[in-house]
Amino acid sequence: MSEQKMTLAALNEMLAGSPFHHVLDLSVEQLDDAADTLVMRLRYSDRIARAEGTGQHHGGVIASLIDIAGDFALIWQLGHGVPTINFRTDYLRPAINTDLLAHAKVRRIGRTVSVCDIDVYSEEGKLLAIGRGTYATAAG
């Protein structure tokens, strides 16, 4: 692990560097050192709806949020980007007319592989989806 974790401002600057992240309107909202947890917000927009007029997030957007939040939880800890090896998403209920808050908890940082668990909540605090990401620890 790096001697000094990345700051909230540095993480948001890195996040803003990707056109895809820009489309999703992502931001890192909170870093909790004690819990090794990062909170990332995805703002709802009709551009990312499942179908016009539904107000419902597309499942691929939620899966992307899970992957990116796990990645950035490790970037925060390691100080560099990490490639995704695998991730899974379990959808628990529809996400309708709400921003999404992904709570990414670093479970393990190993020599070659790291693991994060990610819970996705509505603004009202309802658990909408859960995921687990596995990432290569080396800079990617």
Side-chain angles (χ1 to χ4, degrees), residues 48-102:
I48 58 173
R50 180 186 63 78
E52 191 172 339
T54 64
Q56 187 173 352
H57 283 273
H58 188 285
V61 169
I62 296 169
S64 293
L65 174 61
I66 285 171
D67 182 33
I68 296 165
D71 186 50
F72 270 77
L74 288 165
I75 290 170
W76 166 46
Q77 300 276 332
L78 296 169
H80 60 78
V82 293
T84 304
I85 295 171
N86 192 23
F87 76 96
R88 73 171 275 142
T89 301
D90 293 320
Y91 302 100
L92 306 177
R93 60 174 49 98
I96 302 172
N97 293 320
T98 184
D99 286 1
L100 302 180
L101 296 166

Side-chain angles (χ1 to χ4, degrees), residues 13 33 35-37 46-47 56 67 69 73 82 104-105 121 130:
E13 185 176 327
D33 282 314
D36 283 333
T37 301
D46 289 336
R47 303 189 313 259
Q56 187 173 352
D67 182 33
V82 293
K105 176 156 182 66
Y121 295 92
I130 57 175

